[in-house]
Amino acid sequence: MNPLFKEAIPILEHLEYHGYEAYFVGGAVRDELLNRSISDIDIATSAPPEEVVKLFEKTVPVGIEHGTVLVRHKQKSFEVTTYRIESGYEDYRHPDKVDFVKDLHLDLSRRDFTINAMAMNKNGDIIDPFHGQSDLKSNTIKTVNEAAGRFQEDPLRMMRALRFVSQLGFSLEERTKEAIMEYGYLLEKIAVERLAIEMEKLWLGKHIQQAHQHLVHTDIYRFLPCFNKDHDLVHKSQLHVKTPFSSLSEAITCMHLFNESFTIDYWCKEWKLSNAVKKDSLQLLQAFQAYMQYKELRPDILYQLQPQLLQPFAHLTTILIGEHVISEADLQMQYDHLPIKSRNDLAINGNDILKLKPEERPGPWIQELIKSLESKVLFGTVKNNKEELQEWVRAWNRQEKG
Ligand code: ATP
Ligand code: MG
């Protein structure tokens, strides 16, 4: 058993001690059986949420109206959710009604796919009323109960099916696939924030090519923001994206480069993405454009990328220019050799500059001067040492006074 489960066993035992049932459920059980790494563990219990809050010392009522309480145990958090069933999704966002139930099987029956509808007890025994283990063996994504009804109830599940294809490389069971083709249009009703979570996982999945094939084949891309306005986008994705994107911002930059009339701003607005994603996407775009202009990886391009964008940048060039144009290892090595990695590394700062020019008042000229110093240092015209930089500032002084 994965150590993360072992760490959570005392939570199950504590609930059982007080007369309740408690099991590991959902994605973690699936990933354990697949020998995949596990990020977060979900626990389902027959205890009502108020009881869970009472029974543990440290809890956070993250979604208590839906039965979810975060239990803190030895500096880790575990989501404990009361067995529940849901009914009606009038707003296509939240179930109209959540009912807490006493029966684990009922809780498992509300889950989306058979591979996600298994429970595991503290001894590692699997409870599997919908034959998820057999679908895991045959690499199949199949809804719990009849697909058409389950997708009409919550259309997001169709997007989830494709993101599981992307993450696991599984096939869609025939009826599940047919229902996606029939009810895909319902995705238009889903809150875009929910879609974006699944789209990001799809873009980052190992089997992205397979997921793209399904996006095309089932036609559901027609009901996704941006893809619905340029049908070529999904075909270009299918043709050129052979390995997973390394970040959401890389995917957005790439989509923009597939059709430049959809700006990064537009993508982020349509998909309601964060400013952080927008910022990284724009930075990647700038670097990519500079690279295309100079046809070489100038130090100022690398400097602007920052370490977290090196891998996305290398991958982006693979998609848009071709394989082996720039390897990530090369990029990293060149980055490591930069004389400075950020403005803080510069051996001179704004105060030093002001001291050298006592007659000047502080103003935007300081930023400009620092910028040109950064560039000189990056290109090796000046060494990053205080004396040389001071000398250069003095020279700049003299020149200006001319
Ligand atoms: P990941 O490893 O990406 O977190 P996951 O399977 O844990 O995958 P979550 O979105 O975290 O996915 O959901 C946890 C569990 O809740 C799922 O395994 C599934 O049983 C259930 N679930 C989540 N979303 C839905 C949904 N829209 N409809 C039905 N069941 C759902
Ligand atoms: Mg999860």
Side-chain angles (χ1 to χ4, degrees), residues 72-268:
R72 296 278 301 161
H73 175 71
K74 294 201 172 153
Q75 290 29 191
K76 292 220 168 82
S77 297
F78 298 91
E79 273 196 6
V80 178
T81 304
T82 305
Y83 296 161
R84 61 174 206 215
I85 47 172
E86 299 159 348
S87 51
Y89 281 76
E90 276 297 305
D91 66 352
Y92 288 102
R93 189 184 279 257
H94 308 293
D96 297 339
K97 195 156 162 275
V98 169
D99 285 313
F100 300 129
V101 293
K102 291 272 170 245
D103 180 9
L104 171 68
H105 284 218
L106 277 177
D107 181 85
L108 295 177
S109 72
R110 71 156 167 103
R111 294 173 183 271
D112 48 7
F113 303 107
T114 60
I115 57 169
N116 291 342
M118 294 180 274
M120 181 169 85
N121 69 12
K122 61 175 191 284
N123 305 318
D125 304 322
I126 303 292
I127 294 95
D128 182 14
F130 302 102
H131 313 294
Q133 288 173 103
S134 135
D135 289 333
L136 276 186
K137 281 209 185 79
S138 64
N139 295 358
T140 306
I141 293 166
K142 178 182 174 191
T143 54
V144 169
N145 295 324
E146 201 234 335
R150 300 309 308 284
F151 290 150
Q152 288 174 81
E153 193 179 58
D154 180 5
L156 182 74
R157 291 171 187 151
M158 296 184 270
M159 250 332 255
R160 287 175 59 84
L162 294 206
R163 77 103 149 156
F164 286 119
V165 166
S166 191
Q167 290 178 320
L168 306 173
F170 282 18
S171 315
L172 296 175
E173 177 260 345
E174 210 44 44
R175 288 184 72 87
T176 301
K177 185 156 69 185
E178 281 166 15
I180 293 178
M181 289 164 115
E182 189 168 353
Y183 295 101
Y185 70 94
L186 288 174
L187 280 176
E188 282 182 340
K189 303 198 179 281
I190 294 292
V192 69
E193 297 92 330
R194 295 182 79 204
L195 289 176
I197 292 171
E198 304 303 331
M199 193 66 208
E200 174 175 6
K201 290 183 177 176
L202 187 155
W203 269 328
L204 270 57
K206 226 169 147 179
H207 306 270
I208 185 168
Q209 268 190 303
Q210 214 170 312
H212 278 147
Q213 271 170 20
H214 282 303
L215 271 178
V216 173
H217 184 225
T218 58
D219 253 6
I220 62 170
Y221 69 91
R222 290 170 190 271
F223 310 105
L224 299 175
C226 303
F227 292 101
N228 59 359
K229 298 201 179 65
D230 174 8
H231 294 188
D232 261 357
L233 277 170
V234 76
H235 295 112
K236 282 186 183 149
S237 301
Q238 189 186 15
L239 195 64
H240 300 293
V241 184
K242 305 214 156 71
T243 47
F245 285 111
S246 36
S247 67
L248 178 56
S249 45
E250 190 212 327
I252 295 299
T253 310
C254 182
M255 292 303 127
H256 160 67
L257 288 164
F258 280 162
N259 175 354
E260 288 183 339
S261 61
F262 293 1
T263 61
I264 284 173
D265 231 49
Y266 178 71
W267 271 93
C268 292

Side-chain angles (χ1 to χ4, degrees), residues 26-28 30 39-42 163 201:
R30 175 200 68 221
S39 50
D40 55 329
I41 283 192
D42 293 324
R163 77 103 149 156
K201 290 183 177 176

Side-chain angles (χ1 to χ4, degrees), residues 58-76:
K58 283 189 214 148
T59 59
V60 188
V62 283
I64 200 156
E65 66 288 1
H66 298 116
T68 304
V69 174
L70 209 68
V71 172
R72 296 278 301 161
H73 175 71
K74 294 201 172 153
Q75 290 29 191
K76 292 220 168 82

Side-chain angles (χ1 to χ4, degrees), residues 244-341:
F245 285 111
S246 36
S247 67
L248 178 56
S249 45
E250 190 212 327
I252 295 299
T253 310
C254 182
M255 292 303 127
H256 160 67
L257 288 164
F258 280 162
N259 175 354
E260 288 183 339
S261 61
F262 293 1
T263 61
I264 284 173
D265 231 49
Y266 178 71
W267 271 93
C268 292
K269 224 176 255 150
E270 288 288 293
W271 280 88
K272 297 204 180 154
L273 303 176
S274 70
N275 282 333
V277 171
K278 182 154 83 183
K279 193 171 146 237
D280 279 357
S281 309
L282 288 167
Q283 198 120 29
L284 264 176
L285 176 64
Q286 241 180 41
F288 184 78
Q289 286 170 334
Y291 177 69
M292 294 307 277
Q293 181 183 347
Y294 298 115
K295 305 278 181 246
E296 61 168 325
L297 258 177
R298 298 180 1 156
D300 53 342
I301 301 178
L302 281 165
Y303 180 72
Q304 162 199 334
L305 272 173
Q306 302 293 311
Q308 83 273 13
L309 295 179
L310 293 178
Q311 194 194 350
F313 181 80
H315 189 247
L316 198 61
T317 61
T318 305
I319 298 174
L320 294 156
I321 312 172
E323 265 174 73
H324 312 303
V325 178
I326 299 174
S327 80
E328 200 193 322
D330 257 8
L331 203 62
Q332 188 65 51
M333 201 179 63
Q334 293 188 48
Y335 183 80
D336 292 342
H337 280 94
L338 288 180
I340 52 172
K341 305 278 193 302

